[in-house]
Amino acid sequence: MAAPAKPAPATAAPAANPPPKKSGKLLWIILILVVLAAGGGAAFFFMKPAHSGPKPLPPAQYIAMDPAFVVNLADADTVKYLQADVQLQTRDADTAAAIALHTPLIRNRLLLLFGQQTSQQLAGRAGKERLQAQALNEVRSVLKAQHAADKVDALLFTSVVIQ
């Protein structure tokens, strides 16, 4: 007969092996990366320009072309007059000085231009705006001919009377 089976000898429970000790290298690497990222962000914040948008414009200067312009209009059938108060706008100090210096030349050219108009041409808004654009070109032309600063932004009619 067969011998009874012997129970397997009990083996001792395996000794609990402690997990291998993790080195602190990974922790140090993460810490260094965090410090570098924070330093880069701070450098960007403090070194970027204060205003990233366009530069603000200097204040506008308005130069009145006094006295008012009074001219006979070029109407053939009747005598009509134009009276206009004109101001020039610039944001450039050199241009403002050039306008003051060359006012007699500018006034002469504007008087000649205004005297070429008819009351019919100036009857509506479009006619006045056309004359305004032509007058601005005349002012710039005078300043360029004098080799002066010519940064005139606008010519404004502050009063226009046609009679």
Side-chain angles (χ1 to χ4, degrees):
M1 195 165 178
K6 289 184 182 180
T11 58
N17 290 338
K21 194 174 189 180
K22 290 187 178 181
S23 68
K25 285 183 182 180
L26 182 60
L27 181 62
W28 279 106
I29 290 172
I30 291 173
L31 184 63
I32 289 172
L33 288 175
V34 168
V35 168
L36 287 174
F44 174 77
F45 178 78
F46 288 111
M47 295 183 78
K48 73 177 183 169
H51 298 285
S52 58
K55 290 174 121 179
L57 293 174
Q61 298 177 49
Y62 295 93
I63 300 122
M65 301 298 295
D66 288 330
F69 292 88
V70 180
V71 297
N72 292 333
L73 291 175
D75 290 300
D77 57 341
T78 183
V79 177
K80 297 241 180 183
Y81 299 95
L82 166 71
Q83 177 182 329
D85 287 305
V86 174
Q87 292 204 14
L88 301 174
Q89 177 196 1
T90 184
R91 295 181 185 277
D92 180 59
D94 292 338
T95 300
I99 290 169
L101 178 64
H102 299 295
T103 295
L105 289 172
I106 294 169
R107 287 188 61 82
N108 176 63
R109 291 280 287 273
L110 292 178
L111 282 168
L112 294 174
L113 174 65
F114 294 161
Q116 293 175 329
Q117 309 305 308
T118 65
S119 59
Q120 191 78 350
Q121 291 171 318
L122 301 175
R125 178 180 176 151
K128 291 176 185 73
E129 288 176 346
R130 180 189 52 77
L131 179 59
Q132 194 175 25
Q134 290 174 336
L136 178 59
N137 288 335
E138 288 288 334
V139 171
R140 289 177 178 158
S141 174
V142 167
L143 294 174
K144 281 181 186 177
Q146 297 303 312
H147 304 288
D150 63 344
K151 295 177 182 164
V152 180
D153 298 324
L155 181 139
L156 307 166
F157 289 136
T158 55
S159 173
V160 174
V161 177
I162 301 169
Q163 31 174 263

